[in-house]
Amino acid sequence: MMSLTDDGAAVVAEDSTPVAGDPAELRRRLREHGMLLFRGLLPERRLAELRARFTEVLRRHDWLADDSGGGAAGTEGEGLRPAANRRDGSPRWWRMYEDLQKVELMHRAAHAPQLVEVMRAVLGKPLLNHTRRQVSLVHPGFWVPPHQEHTHVQGTPDVLTAWVPFTPFPAGRGTLRVLRERAVPGVRPLTVLDTGGVEARIEPDEGDWWRAPDLGPGDVVVMHALATRAVDENVTPYLRGAVEYRYQSAREPVCFASLRPHHYPRVPGWEEIAAGWSQRRWLRVPLRVRQVDFLLPDNQETWHELLPHPVSRLVDVEPGRT
């Protein structure tokens, strides 16, 4: 794994909250940094409610230690401490994750006016709100390797991800980072890790890593799908958690998979996921959206060769391969 813990080459992100209503300035910052940081964009009480719903699911599936707190997210002592030997990918994890996907509030929050207004300012109208929404849990001792969302989302390269933490992500103990580049190199080659995951290949002199000193409920980080992002190792005894929402222009192509539940078909379709919801408008998409196939290689390390060289209207991309 590439080490991201040395802050010598890291830069602190600029808060874009004061210019949230300025489309031209938001686009300029996104082009320069590949990301936008918004402090306190969403109401903390709404994230506290979402955290409480998720905590109920985690407890029901025995995912938390008996003495784990489930209270306010701002206090380290009240963090969500996982039970021993709870890891992603186990049969128990899939059952738990299915129930996380069934939490209506998680899908409803993707339509928060504050989020939608920012996305429309950058992307324009009409807006497509991907219904495939992700719950990211980082266990103690784990990390998220450097990667680009475009490889796994595809469709248009101009997809924006809103990374919305519902627990604290304190500095130096699970920091979100984004590689700050003058121009993205297109789709990066991947290296398969011993853990079974993949990591984007990055040269030592490729830009600086942006970092946030602290992130917590209410903060939002918006990242372009071609930006390279990672989360440092979680060196605390607590779960770190965020939800990830994706948006794009409805005039551009989208993969059909982006309109299904995250991890479908390992989790059920919408008829089962949304059963019992108060309403299903969180799943609506504009009419006549152009859907394209998802390209999956035989070998993950050749994925960058299979995908077309991206063309973006939001970030600068290096010239394609000849």
Side-chain angles (χ1 to χ4, degrees):
M1 180 191 71
M2 179 178 178
S3 174
L4 305 177
T5 55
D6 181 3
D7 288 342
V11 290
V12 178
E14 185 178 17
D15 184 3
S16 292
T17 312
V19 297
D22 185 340
E25 178 61 15
L26 291 177
R27 293 190 193 110
R28 185 194 70 78
R29 294 188 184 193
L30 182 70
R31 185 174 296 275
E32 182 176 346
H33 303 300
M35 52 73 59
L36 300 166
L37 168 66
F38 299 94
R39 293 287 191 186
L41 183 68
L42 298 176
E44 283 191 50
R45 58 178 177 78
R46 180 52 57 90
L47 273 300
E49 183 181 357
L50 180 61
R51 169 191 164 99
R53 301 284 179 84
F54 284 163
T55 300
E56 292 173 4
V57 173
L58 294 169
R59 285 202 185 284
R60 190 164 69 247
H61 287 271
D62 297 322
W63 209 260
L64 299 178
D66 291 341
D67 60 348
S68 176
T75 305
E76 186 76 1
E78 295 178 331
L80 301 175
R81 193 161 62 85
N85 300 320
R86 298 292 188 264
R87 294 291 182 263
D88 289 10
S90 66
R92 181 181 295 221
W93 185 88
W94 286 109
R95 292 191 292 271
M96 179 270 292
Y97 193 76
E98 177 182 330
D99 282 351
L100 290 177
Q101 283 290 318
K102 290 179 178 179
V103 174
E104 182 181 0
L105 180 59
M106 190 266 285
H107 298 271
R108 177 181 177 183
H111 292 263
Q114 302 92 328
L115 270 181
V116 171
E117 288 170 10
V118 164
M119 295 301 176
R120 282 179 175 158
V122 178
L123 293 165
K125 298 180 182 179
L127 188 70
L128 171 57
N129 189 329
H130 287 203
T131 53
R132 179 173 63 182
R133 294 156 187 147
Q134 180 175 347
V135 184
S136 178
L137 298 174
V138 184
H139 286 74
F142 281 68
W143 61 90
V144 179
H147 67 286
Q148 294 170 299
E149 289 290 290
H150 178 60
T151 307
H152 307 283
V153 176
Q154 299 183 30
T156 174
D158 286 331
V159 172
L160 299 183
T161 296
W163 191 86
V164 182
F166 58 86
T167 73
F169 278 77
R173 291 176 283 174
T175 306
L176 173 71
R177 296 177 185 253
V178 180
L179 193 63
R180 181 177 174 181
E181 307 167 278
R182 286 186 294 273
V184 297
V187 182
R188 290 184 178 276
L190 298 176
T191 298
V192 178
L193 304 174
D194 293 340
T195 59
V198 291
E199 177 181 83
R201 297 182 206 166
I202 304 168
E203 299 300 326
D205 59 347
E206 286 193 72
D208 299 321
W209 283 99
W210 164 89
R211 66 177 176 85
D214 291 285
L215 291 171
D219 298 332
V220 175
V221 180
V222 174
M223 296 170 282
H224 191 274
L226 291 174
T228 301
R229 51 180 274 198
V231 177
D232 290 347
E233 180 180 357
N234 177 8
V235 295
T236 77
Y238 304 105
L239 277 175
R240 300 297 174 201
V243 288
E244 300 186 25
Y245 303 135
R246 296 180 181 91
Y247 308 80
Q248 66 170 79
S249 168
R251 302 183 191 279
E252 297 176 342
V254 61
C255 281
F256 184 52
S258 293
L259 307 179
R260 289 195 167 177
H262 186 234
H263 283 312
Y264 178 87
R266 291 296 299 267
V267 301
W270 290 124
E271 285 304 312
E272 185 171 340
I273 291 292
W277 285 8
S278 62
Q279 50 188 312
R280 297 194 179 189
R281 67 186 184 92
W282 326 122
L283 304 178
R284 291 177 189 164
V285 297
L287 296 175
R288 295 184 294 277
V289 169
R290 181 160 62 96
Q291 298 179 18
V292 294
D293 292 333
F294 185 84
L295 301 179
L296 185 65
D298 295 329
N299 180 349
Q300 292 189 82
E301 292 184 331
T302 64
W303 219 335
H304 65 290
E305 298 174 358
L306 180 65
L307 294 175
H309 192 77
V311 176
S312 170
R313 62 187 175 92
L314 297 177
V315 297
D316 296 321
V317 183
E318 294 178 356
R321 299 174 295 273
T322 57

